[in-house]
Amino acid sequence: MERRCRRCLLEEFDEAAYIRTLKDHIEGTPRRERAPEDVYAGRLETCKACDYLEAGTCTACGCYVELRAASIRGRCPYKKW
């Protein structure tokens, strides 16, 4: 298993690897635990319009919005979705 750095600076961040890991994680989640595609897309649109979104992270709660939005149990900390 590839070791991932949890203390990298943004200048050291491998964005392509992050995106691959994110997509792999979402696709590896059982369908019954994933939000329907239209719900997922709607949640991301809401997050993209939110002032708390910064570089794929919710600065209100610290989550990676794509991961939280993909989960059927995911919730916005501000109840926007």
Side-chain angles (χ1 to χ4, degrees):
M1 175 181 261
E2 179 183 333
R3 185 172 177 193
R4 292 181 181 84
C5 177
R6 294 183 181 265
R7 295 180 186 220
C8 292
L9 299 173
L10 287 176
E11 66 186 26
E12 299 167 332
F13 189 69
D14 183 348
E15 187 174 350
Y18 165 75
I19 292 169
R20 277 192 312 276
T21 300
L22 179 71
K23 288 182 179 190
D24 288 347
H25 182 78
I26 291 170
E27 290 172 6
T29 302
R31 281 227 176 262
R32 67 183 180 282
E33 295 177 20
R34 279 191 266 164
E37 200 59 40
D38 61 327
V39 172
Y40 175 66
R43 289 174 173 182
L44 292 182
E45 285 303 313
T46 300
C47 290
K48 285 171 33 178
C50 182
D51 291 338
Y52 291 109
L53 179 66
E54 186 173 314
T57 303
C58 174
T59 59
C61 68
C63 79
Y64 295 111
V65 295
E66 286 102 337
L67 293 178
R68 183 174 286 209
S71 172
I72 199 157
R73 292 183 306 260
R75 301 286 181 263
C76 170
Y78 287 94
K79 298 181 174 57
K80 293 183 179 188
W81 49 262

